[in-house]
Amino acid sequence: MQISFPREVRCNLAGYSWLARTGAQLEPLRREEIRFCGRGLSWFDANLCGPFGAILTACKLRLNTVSLDEIPAPIIQAWGQNGFYRHFGGADFVDHFDTTIGYRRFTLDEDKTFVRYLRGELMEKELPTMSRSAKARFESNVQEVFTNAVHHSFSVHGVFSCGQHFPHKNRLDLTLTDLGVGFGFRVSEFLNAPISSLAAIEWALEQGHTTRVGNIAGGLGLKRLAQFLAQNEGHLQILSGDGFYQQHGGKISRQTLRHSFGGSVVNLSFNTLDATFYSEDDETSAGEEIAIFG
Amino acid sequence: MNQQPFSISVYEVVGDSICVSQADGLRLFEVLKAALDEGCEVVLSFAGVESLTTSFLTAAVGQLLLHFSEDDLKNRLRARDLKKLHTELLGEVVKRSRLYYADREGYTLGRERVLEAA
C-alpha cells in the first residue's frame, strides 16, 4: 500500500486532518507493506513527528512494515535532528542550531524521566522569560498534561513527545500524543452519557474537571496551560477522536473532522516574541506550619 | 500524655526531589494513613522537594478524606517548608478533593451544560 504526503504537513486543520485520516487508514491493516511517498512534500512541522511517529509505531506493532521513501533532504534532516528518523530506517543528524526537542516515546511509568526530558529539552529553549517560581509552575503544568495522558488514555503504546523551535516564526512547540481511548470515550464513560469528542475536550478544559475516578481525583495542568497560552498569545491545539479544538490567544475554534484520530494530541505552541516577564513570589515557608485541611 | 507531632519528610518517603507521579503519591499516602491510624499528629515536611504536581498530591493527601473526617485532618495533619507554588497546589487539591468526596457519584460539575452541548 502506498500513502502520499500532502504538499505540507503543518500544525493546522489540514495537517491534523491528514494525521487523523492516515491513522484511520492504517488501523485495519495487518502484515502489509506500507510505503509513504514524500514526492511533492515541501514542509513537515517537525513537532508533528510525535503524532506521526505514534501512528507509525502502532502500525509496525500490528506487524506491518513501514518505509518512508522519496523524502526531500531538508525534511530528512529535520527528522534526523530530532531522533525520529532512526526509528523508521533513517539516520541521526546533528542539530547545529539547537532548535529541536527530541522525539521520545515514554512508557506509562516514566513520570520522572519526562521531568528530566522537559528540563533538558524544553526549559533550555527560548521560552518567555519567567522567574524561578513561575518556571516551576509552568513545568508542573506541562508535567500534569503528561500525567493526564498517562492516566486518562490507557494508551498501551505510551506517550510520544516531540517539539521544535521555529525561530523565524517566533514559535516553540511541544506536542504530546497518546494512542489511548480519547477524551470522548473517557468523558462519556464518566458522565454515563454519550458526548462528542469536541464537547469532551471542552469539558476537560473546565477547571477541576477530570475523568480520573475511584479514590483519586484529577489534574489541572491543561486548564492552566490554556490560560498561560492565552496570555502569551500562543496556540493550544487538541486533537482527540474526531474533535479538533484550537485556542489562539483568547480566540477559540472547533472542528469535527471527517476521520477520527485513535487517541489524543496536545500541541502547546508558545509565542517566543512575548516580552512579558512571568514572575511569582519564590519564598518558602521554612519552619512555618499550616493546616492542610484548614 | 502530650506527644510530639510525628514528622514525615516527603523527600525521604519518595527518595527524590521530583514528586510528580501518582505511584509516589500513593506511597506517601500509605505512610500518612498508617501514622494517622495510630492516632498521631503529623507534620508533613516538603523540604528538599523541587517538583510537585496535583496528581501526586491528590494521591497522597486528597484521598485521606475517604478515611478520616475533615475535622480530624484539620486537627492532626499539618505541612511545613512549602514553596508558595506548592502551597497553592495543595490548596487546589484540597478544594477539589472536598468536592469530589462530598459527591463521589455525581462529581460531574457542569454535566448538564456539557450534555446539552453534546
Side-chain angles (χ1 to χ4, degrees), chain A residues 85-107:
Chain A
Y85 205 33
R86 87 172 80 113
H87 296 273
F88 304 100
D92 283 350
F93 288 82
V94 177
D95 174 14
H96 291 291
F97 298 104
D98 192 27
T99 54
T100 60
I101 297 174
Y103 170 82
R104 287 285 309 274
R105 177 183 172 194
F106 295 91
T107 57

Side-chain angles (χ1 to χ4, degrees), chain A residues 111-112 115-116 119 132-133 136-141 143-144 147-148 151 187 190-196 199-200 202-203 206-210 212-221 224 280-294, chain B residues 14 16 18 20-22 24 26-27 43-44 46 50-55 58-59 61-67 70 73-74 77-85 87-90 92 94 96-98 100-101 104 107-111 113-115 117-118:
Chain A
D111 302 69
K112 287 180 192 173
V115 172
R116 293 185 179 106
R119 288 183 184 169
R132 209 176 124 193
S133 189
R137 179 186 294 275
F138 173 85
E139 186 186 289
S140 161
N141 290 338
Q143 176 67 29
E144 295 253 0
T147 307
N148 287 346
H151 293 289
V187 177
F190 182 70
L191 297 176
N192 198 22
I195 71 166
S196 69
E202 296 199 69
W203 185 89
E206 290 285 325
Q207 188 89 29
H209 282 181
T210 177
R212 233 178 279 162
V213 293
N215 294 345
I216 299 166
L220 296 162
R224 288 194 299 247
E280 285 188 24
D281 187 355
D282 200 18
E283 69 188 54
T284 301
S285 64
E288 185 192 329
E289 288 182 11
I290 58 161
I292 293 178
F293 288 88
Chain B
V14 173
D16 203 316
I18 299 173
V20 293
S21 74
Q22 207 176 79
D24 282 338
L26 287 172
R27 199 133 44 95
V43 177
L44 197 54
F46 287 82
E50 266 184 62
S51 300
L52 205 54
T53 59
T54 55
S55 313
T58 306
V61 174
Q63 61 173 334
L64 289 171
L65 283 172
L66 193 60
H67 304 273
E70 190 168 344
L73 291 170
K74 197 187 283 183
L77 179 60
R78 305 180 73 77
R80 72 164 180 238
D81 309 320
L82 279 158
K83 292 179 175 165
K84 186 173 171 262
L85 164 65
T87 309
E88 282 176 29
L89 292 180
L90 197 53
E92 279 171 5
V94 167
R96 262 179 331 124
S97 298
R98 265 189 202 123
Y100 179 70
Y101 289 107
R104 282 173 75 199
Y107 186 64
T108 52
L109 304 174
R111 175 182 169 138
R113 188 168 56 75
V114 170
L115 292 180

Side-chain angles (χ1 to χ4, degrees), chain A residues 27 70 79 88 90 93 95 104-105 122 129 152 155 165-166 187-188 199 244 259 283 285:
Chain A
E27 208 286 324
E70 297 185 53
W79 288 358
F88 304 100
F93 288 82
D95 174 14
R104 287 285 309 274
R105 177 183 172 194
L122 177 69
T129 324
H152 283 205
S155 173
H165 181 202
F166 302 96
V187 177
S188 297
F244 178 61
H259 297 277
E283 69 188 54
S285 64

Side-chain angles (χ1 to χ4, degrees), chain A residues 33-68:
Chain A
E33 283 183 22
I34 297 140
R35 178 178 178 265
F36 278 85
C37 177
R39 198 183 313 137
L41 177 64
S42 64
W43 184 267
F44 192 103
D45 273 351
N47 55 302
L48 292 180
C49 285
F52 186 46
I55 291 168
L56 297 189
T57 300
C59 183
K60 281 169 66 174
L61 292 171
R62 289 191 293 264
L63 308 178
N64 300 295
T65 57
V66 174
S67 64
L68 301 168

